[in-house]
Amino acid sequence: MSTGIPNLVVSVPTEQLAADLGALPDNVELVVWPMDAAAPRDRFDIVVPPYMSMARVLERLEGVEVGLVQGQSIGYDGVADILPAGLRFANAASVHETSTAELAVGLAIAAQRHIDRFAVDTAAGQWSPVFAQSLADRRVLLLGYGGVGKAVAARLAPFEVEITPVASHARDEDGVTVHGVDELPDLLPRAEIVILTLPGGAATQNIVDDAFLAALPDGALVINVGRGSLVDTDALVDHVRRGRIRAALDVTAPEPLPEGHPLWSLPGVLITPHVGGASSAMRPRVAKLVRTQIERLVAGEPPLNVVLGG
């Protein structure tokens, strides 16, 4: 017997995500489309592109009627340039914050306690103790206080650090004093560790430049789990090469970091290959978000996280 409710057509890129969604309302048609060929339908209510490859596939939505494009990443810088006109795009806020925050804290511990060096010693069968810097008692400047920044702050709190959150504008948020970026000249000289969680885009391009790095104290650690475009790479190389600054980077500019780039071989640099969200936490959280979007559309409610074309 018909309910009178039109079918909702949803595209997901993998059989795995389709399985992770579990049972869906009867009026939802699920299509597995990796977006490696032309669209199998002329209309979708939701399209979920494959993870980390939107730049190569969004053009296949040209001429297709799509209610919502649901990305699998938090960041969406550059998407507006490749998203076909008239389409709405939602990012994956709620999916990667915890995993990215875990990596940020892990990079801080690894860099402070020389775990990267000890890993090399392990492979060489070499016992070489060193007296290292603690994470405890360090002054941490957290540049970016959105979902990832707040998740980093929550995980750093038990480590007995002094956290100074900085965002685009100063505010008091849930009892936390958040400083504005205009205060950076006064804040940087005290920062022993800087953790970058800002999004990419023109407003944050090279926010960490030569002047920013020069204002930090000797030996400061810069951790980037935001976007590579936040950092002037040439300036960072210069400061690291002179022994002024250390770096732990999950994102770089350019990316992937090419073979032979000086960041690969400079002492005091630890690099992970953009894996902030690449953990077992991702799959169930992506599925939960997509299922929530489906349920909201079925109920006639607006989707969450719409950041473009709203």
Side-chain angles (χ1 to χ4, degrees), residues 288-308:
K288 179 181 179 181
L289 175 59
V290 174
R291 186 179 180 88
T292 296
Q293 300 287 49
I294 291 171
E295 291 170 348
R296 290 180 70 88
L297 293 191
V298 167
E301 299 173 355
L304 303 174
N305 302 346
V306 174
V307 291
L308 296 171

Side-chain angles (χ1 to χ4, degrees), residues 249-272:
L249 311 171
D250 185 50
V251 288
T252 60
E255 189 174 300
L257 199 64
E259 181 180 355
H261 194 282
L263 283 175
W264 284 123
S265 57
L266 282 174
V269 176
L270 172 60
I271 295 171
T272 55

Side-chain angles (χ1 to χ4, degrees), residues 221-285:
L221 171 65
V222 174
I223 299 170
N224 191 2
V225 294
R227 283 291 182 265
S229 60
L230 303 178
V231 178
D232 180 334
T233 302
D234 291 341
L236 181 63
V237 167
D238 175 59
H239 282 262
V240 172
R241 184 172 280 144
R242 291 188 283 118
R244 276 259 310 122
I245 297 296
R246 297 172 296 134
L249 311 171
D250 185 50
V251 288
T252 60
E255 189 174 300
L257 199 64
E259 181 180 355
H261 194 282
L263 283 175
W264 284 123
S265 57
L266 282 174
V269 176
L270 172 60
I271 295 171
T272 55
H274 202 152
V275 292
S279 80
S280 58
M282 178 181 172
R283 264 183 49 197
R285 290 166 191 255

Side-chain angles (χ1 to χ4, degrees), residues 107-143:
L107 287 171
I109 294 171
Q112 290 294 93
R113 300 304 301 269
H114 301 288
I115 294 176
D116 53 339
R117 170 177 166 176
F118 295 144
V120 174
D121 290 345
T122 298
Q126 183 172 321
W127 186 276
S128 300
V130 297
F131 190 88
Q133 289 288 319
S134 67
L135 181 54
D137 303 329
R138 299 285 72 80
R139 296 185 297 272
V140 179
L141 189 148
L142 186 54
L143 186 49

Side-chain angles (χ1 to χ4, degrees), residues 34-92:
M35 300 185 72
D36 55 354
R41 301 281 194 282
D42 58 9
R43 182 189 69 83
F44 293 100
D45 293 278
I46 301 176
V47 170
V48 182
Y51 184 51
M52 298 292 282
S53 62
M54 285 195 302
R56 299 192 297 273
V57 301
L58 282 188
E59 63 182 18
R60 292 200 167 94
L61 296 179
E62 195 72 54
V64 181
E65 183 184 345
V66 180
L68 178 71
V69 181
Q70 175 60 63
Q72 297 191 62
S73 298
I74 300 175
Y76 56 94
D77 44 302
V79 173
D81 298 329
I82 57 175
L83 186 70
L87 300 190
R88 288 187 300 174
F89 180 85
N91 74 346

